[in-house]
């Protein structure tokens, strides 16, 4: 998967999360968890795009670490929303699984970059 494909996929993730949130009933729990989820899920794509414009390898890794944190946070809020919205479990689970796949890609990228940097220095 190249960077353009991952940019598209992280954007699609944010859109899918927004569509999920628009389906939820309005109550104080959904409102607060949804607000947090919108922020962190949209931050995934924004920070990945920023990583692609990094000035150095260290800058790239640091920005990917932010993406990693935001994905993990999004998955947490999806888990919370699933508890309070059992009727949307399938759609929530689908978004959680996509977040987990993206997280795996980002973590693998960080590991590979760090290993390559160590090998280059050796």
């Amino acid at each position: 998967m190249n960077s353009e494909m991952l940019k598209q996929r992280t954007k699609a993730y944010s859109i899918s999360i927004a569509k999920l949130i628009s389906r939820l009933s309005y109550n104080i729990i959904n409102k607060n968890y949804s607000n947090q989820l919108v922020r962190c899920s949209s931050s995934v794509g924004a920070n990945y795009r920023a990583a692609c414009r990094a000035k150095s390898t260290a800058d790239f890794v640091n920005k990917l670490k932010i993406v990693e944190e935001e994905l993990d946070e999004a998955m947490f809020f999806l888990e919370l929303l699933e508890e309070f919205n059992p009727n949307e479990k399938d759609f929530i689970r689908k978004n959680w699984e996509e977040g987990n796949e993206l997280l795996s890609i980002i973590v693998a990228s960080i590991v590979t970059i760090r290993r390559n940097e160590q090998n280059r220095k050796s």
Side-chain angles (χ1 to χ4, degrees):
M1 174 172 296
N2 65 34
S3 64
E4 285 306 312
M5 292 169 67
L6 200 48
K7 281 182 190 178
Q8 291 173 3
R9 194 163 167 185
T10 57
K11 181 179 178 181
Y13 180 68
S14 300
I15 292 168
S16 184
I17 294 288
K19 288 179 180 179
L20 163 66
I21 289 168
S22 70
R23 294 168 55 149
L24 300 178
S25 61
Y26 183 83
N27 61 53
I28 193 69
I29 292 170
N30 284 347
K31 177 183 180 283
N32 288 318
Y33 291 162
S34 295
N35 285 339
Q36 287 294 113
L37 182 56
V38 165
R39 286 185 196 95
C40 57
S41 67
S42 59
S43 182
V44 168
N47 281 293
Y48 181 73
R49 289 172 66 107
C52 291
R53 293 186 308 277
K55 307 280 188 272
S56 67
T57 302
D59 188 28
F60 183 66
V61 169
N62 286 335
K63 287 177 181 1
L64 285 184
K65 291 295 290 175
I66 295 169
V67 174
E68 176 187 9
E69 291 172 13
E70 297 294 343
L71 278 163
D72 186 59
E73 185 176 329
M75 291 169 65
F76 174 73
F77 284 109
L78 285 166
E79 291 168 11
L80 292 174
L81 285 170
E82 184 176 8
E83 289 293 320
F84 295 98
N85 299 276
N87 56 322
E88 295 293 344
K89 184 176 182 169
D90 291 341
F91 198 41
I92 292 170
R93 182 58 42 183
K94 178 182 163 224
N95 281 284
W96 188 93
E97 288 169 0
E98 175 64 4
N100 194 45
E101 285 182 27
L102 289 169
L103 183 58
S104 295
I105 292 166
I106 295 302
V107 169
S109 297
I110 292 167
V111 168
T112 299
I113 293 163
R114 286 182 171 162
R115 185 177 50 236
N116 289 347
E117 279 295 297
Q118 286 177 347
N119 291 340
R120 192 175 61 83
K121 290 177 182 179
S122 299

